[in-house]
Amino acid sequence: MPETGDKVVQMTAVRDRLRLAFLGWQCRLRQLAVREDEARPSAGMRPRLSVAGQDAGPITVVITPLEPAASTDELRHIVRRTHDPRERYQAALRYLQSSHFQDPSQFDDRLTAIFGNEAELPKKLLGRSDCVLAFEQFSQRYWLTCHAELLDSKSQEFQATYWHNALFNATLPADVQIISFQPDWGQTRAEPSPI
């Protein structure tokens, strides 16, 4: 019987290492983007989404802190402080270039994506567990099988995603849909394996 327990512990450890490796990779990509490319989303932040094997194209995903309240307050403050998009953009870069993406263990493994209120894709994703996000940048690839859910506009994850996007989109409407993708780390693949 201990042998079965050992296998479960080993599988959990492998999943945890894979999750942390992915989050570390995402944090590094975001550091590069804010420091070298004016925060433009890179290929590794824009996975191709497929649902039940059907390609739905690329989407831009956001990673949020495990405890997002403080950073969401700061992002909201930056957005509301000025109506000048350039000034807002520069403040956003300064904030994100600081220590924001330094510690991957401080980020939630759920990925979020924002869609217009009239978009049909979020309705097709609701409750599905056969969504695959295919990430690729440089020589690294990840395929994350995820469960998708629509976030409530009052949730911390929704607010963190909304205000992050508002930093870079001065015309972002208030009525958007935000989908959360929860990876199943037991079904995740990576090439090359980071662990």
Side-chain angles (χ1 to χ4, degrees):
M1 193 67 171
E3 187 176 305
T4 303
D6 289 346
K7 287 180 183 176
V8 170
V9 169
Q10 289 172 356
M11 286 304 296
T12 300
V14 168
R15 289 176 188 159
D16 285 345
R17 287 198 311 268
L18 184 58
R19 177 180 57 79
L20 281 174
F22 174 78
L23 288 171
W25 182 66
Q26 282 293 301
C27 284
R28 284 188 300 281
L29 293 179
R30 290 160 201 279
Q31 288 170 347
L32 283 171
V34 297
R35 293 177 181 160
E36 297 177 9
D37 202 19
E38 298 184 335
R40 288 182 190 89
S42 66
M45 293 179 242
R46 293 185 42 78
R48 291 200 72 80
L49 168 65
S50 62
V51 183
Q54 298 292 319
D55 183 31
I59 61 171
T60 301
V61 295
V62 173
I63 59 173
T64 59
L66 287 167
E67 300 293 332
S71 65
T72 300
D73 287 346
E74 182 63 27
L75 301 177
R76 185 183 302 113
H77 174 72
I78 292 170
V79 170
R80 291 181 171 168
R81 184 174 49 207
T82 180
H83 292 292
D84 179 349
R86 189 69 190 157
E87 189 177 319
R88 178 186 299 166
Y89 184 74
Q90 291 303 320
L93 284 180
R94 281 191 301 275
Y95 176 73
L96 295 174
Q97 287 171 347
S98 64
S99 61
H100 188 69
F101 294 115
Q102 292 298 315
D103 185 356
S105 69
Q106 296 303 306
F107 283 86
D108 196 322
D109 64 348
R110 290 177 292 179
L111 304 151
T112 57
I114 197 165
F115 298 90
N117 197 39
E118 301 300 319
E120 291 297 317
L121 182 58
K123 295 171 185 70
K124 295 176 182 176
L125 298 175
L126 294 184
R128 298 197 69 116
S129 292
D130 56 357
C131 303
V132 176
L133 297 175
F135 293 84
E136 180 177 359
Q137 187 165 344
F138 305 126
S139 60
Q140 185 64 58
R141 295 180 182 165
Y142 284 91
W143 294 269
L144 278 63
T145 300
C146 302
H147 174 78
E149 68 178 59
L150 182 66
L151 294 177
D152 181 276
S153 63
K154 294 183 176 102
S155 74
Q156 287 190 7
E157 238 184 327
F158 183 103
Q159 293 296 312
T161 303
Y162 180 86
W163 290 106
H164 175 91
N165 280 278
L167 288 173
F168 304 105
N169 182 354
T171 61
L172 186 66
D175 59 339
V176 295
Q177 301 175 82
I178 298 180
I179 298 290
S180 172
F181 295 93
Q182 176 63 63
D184 177 345
W185 294 104
Q187 293 187 46
T188 294
R189 293 183 306 130
E191 289 179 5
S193 175
I195 54 174

